[in-house]
Amino acid sequence: MTTAPLPSELYSYLFVVDGIATADPNHPYVFRDFATISNVFVVGGGPGDLYAVQDVPHGTLSHRWYLSESLGRDRRINIYTPPGYEAGDATYPVLYLLHGYGGDEDEWVSFGRATQILDNLIAKGEAKPMLVVMPNGHTAMEAAPGESSLGFYKPGRETDRSDVPGSFEKGFREILDFVEANYRVAPDRSHRAIAGLSMGGGHAITISGMYENSFDYVGVFSSAHSAMRSNSEESMAQFDGMLKTQIENGLQLYWVGIGTEDFLFEANTQFRARLDELGMDYIYVETGGGHIWKCWRTYLGMFVPLLFH
């Protein structure tokens, strides 16, 4: 098979042999998306250049473990520090970047290309040097598949995503405390941002409202709050109260992006209508596409340059 010339982007593909999806045995570049692997390549000359490793100064990606006392165990977290962090003594702002329902702490690193996006934007002077903290939003998991004490088990919905509702949001203070105790970061709202895709966008909405005066920048990618899909008056009242408090406290940026083909588009429309009714100022970006990484990489590349000015 030969395709037509492809627009600049990061692509993934698989072979299907007798109905069985399999990786290309002649292509060593493979990403894992939870329990599925696929081959990947980048077409340059456009958006793909932002996702590629360029000849620029590079930051450092660390796989750290922090103690979650609320869950009673250590948990793995990925932390990007910008170029020059180790050699200096400067204090930096932090972006807390959250994955979706099908992901883990590695997903923004692999398919999201967060480290390459940050390296390239910082090198071009389009983004402030910052830390990016990527936790695992599934509290049923210690870490990404293969990285925990469970060993090389077969990932599954029942074993990895059976979270106690609200446990990640309630335990998020432990992540803030770990980062601020171990890294040179400014521990105030004007130097903290939080963003996420899908489930992580819902987490960002909740966490930014739950921890009052903790985040001046909020990014919601292809998401909406669970209250939009609930008929509960109590849930909606709690959601409204949370947003009203945020509005009263003031925010530097509330950023919402979604694709027109996304299955959450209607819920996102209802979410934005609620923001409008309550008087929240926000930036809204509507793109083509559905619930896909092409959108989320694009949104991250648009969101990061707006932070910490």
Side-chain angles (χ1 to χ4, degrees):
M1 173 182 158
T2 302
T3 72
L6 295 170
S8 178
E9 184 51 71
L10 184 148
Y11 294 91
S12 61
Y13 73 97
L14 288 170
F15 290 157
V16 178
V17 182
D18 294 335
I20 304 298
T22 183
D24 182 349
N26 198 39
H27 185 167
Y29 302 109
V30 176
F31 285 170
R32 177 190 59 80
D33 186 11
F34 193 61
T36 303
I37 60 170
S38 58
N39 296 99
V40 295
F41 62 93
V42 175
V43 176
D49 292 340
L50 187 61
Y51 315 142
V53 177
Q54 304 288 350
D55 185 13
V56 299
H58 301 298
T60 300
L61 179 68
S62 300
H63 306 298
R64 298 292 305 270
W65 290 81
Y66 73 98
L67 173 61
S68 173
E69 294 185 358
S70 64
L71 297 172
R73 61 178 180 273
D74 287 339
R75 305 191 73 235
R76 188 172 180 260
I77 189 168
N78 285 332
I79 299 179
Y80 166 90
T81 49
Y85 176 87
E86 292 86 355
D89 58 4
T91 298
Y92 293 87
V94 187
L95 166 61
Y96 293 86
L97 189 58
L98 312 180
H99 63 79
Y101 180 73
D104 51 60
E105 74 273 18
D106 285 342
E107 194 141 49
W108 267 113
V109 175
S110 56
F111 280 104
R113 305 295 281 178
T115 59
Q116 288 76 25
I117 291 172
L118 266 293
D119 280 351
N120 294 330
L121 288 176
I122 291 170
K124 292 191 292 184
E126 295 178 7
K128 298 281 188 181
M130 67 186 75
L131 274 72
V132 181
V133 175
M134 294 163 277
N136 190 316
H138 288 301
T139 54
M141 303 172 72
E142 295 173 18
E147 301 291 347
S148 74
S149 61
L150 295 177
F152 295 147
Y153 69 100
K154 183 178 180 179
R157 182 186 298 261
E158 293 77 15
T159 56
D160 297 303
R161 302 174 186 169
S162 55
D163 309 309
V164 175
S167 54
F168 178 69
E169 297 95 317
K170 291 175 183 176
F172 201 80
R173 174 58 63 182
E174 297 170 331
I175 296 173
L176 294 176
D177 291 344
F178 174 80
V179 171
E180 291 170 4
N182 289 278
Y183 291 87
R184 299 191 313 274
V185 299
D188 60 80
R189 59 179 289 177
S190 65
H191 293 91
R192 291 197 203 105
I194 188 167
L197 70 92
S198 193
M199 178 187 78
H203 285 161
I205 294 167
T206 300
I207 291 168
S208 64
M210 179 184 294
Y211 297 93
E212 296 180 13
N213 288 312
S214 292
F215 300 92
D216 253 356
Y217 303 85
V218 180
V220 182
F221 306 164
S222 302
S223 188
H225 195 268
S226 58
M228 300 301 102
R229 301 188 298 276
S230 169
N231 293 321
S232 169
E233 292 184 7
E234 180 181 358
S235 295
M236 189 59 72
Q238 291 176 348
F239 175 65
D240 287 353
M242 181 179 68
L243 285 175
K244 288 176 182 177
T245 300
Q246 281 185 290
I247 294 168
E248 291 169 1
N249 290 338
L251 291 166
Q252 291 296 319
L253 175 67
Y254 207 96
W255 195 98
V256 180
I258 196 164
T260 53
E261 299 167 46
D262 198 301
F263 75 94
L264 289 176
F265 187 82
E266 180 58 34
N268 186 269
T269 300
Q270 295 173 15
F271 167 61
R272 287 183 284 109
R274 210 68 180 184
L275 296 181
D276 292 336
E277 290 174 14
L278 296 172
M280 172 75 84
D281 290 328
Y282 62 95
I283 291 176
Y284 173 58
V285 174
E286 185 175 292
T287 64
H291 212 66
I292 55 175
W293 275 106
K294 178 181 178 180
C295 290
W296 304 326
R297 287 188 295 267
T298 298
Y299 300 159
L300 184 64
M302 299 172 73
F303 180 69
V304 164
L306 303 177
L307 302 179
F308 311 124
H309 294 287

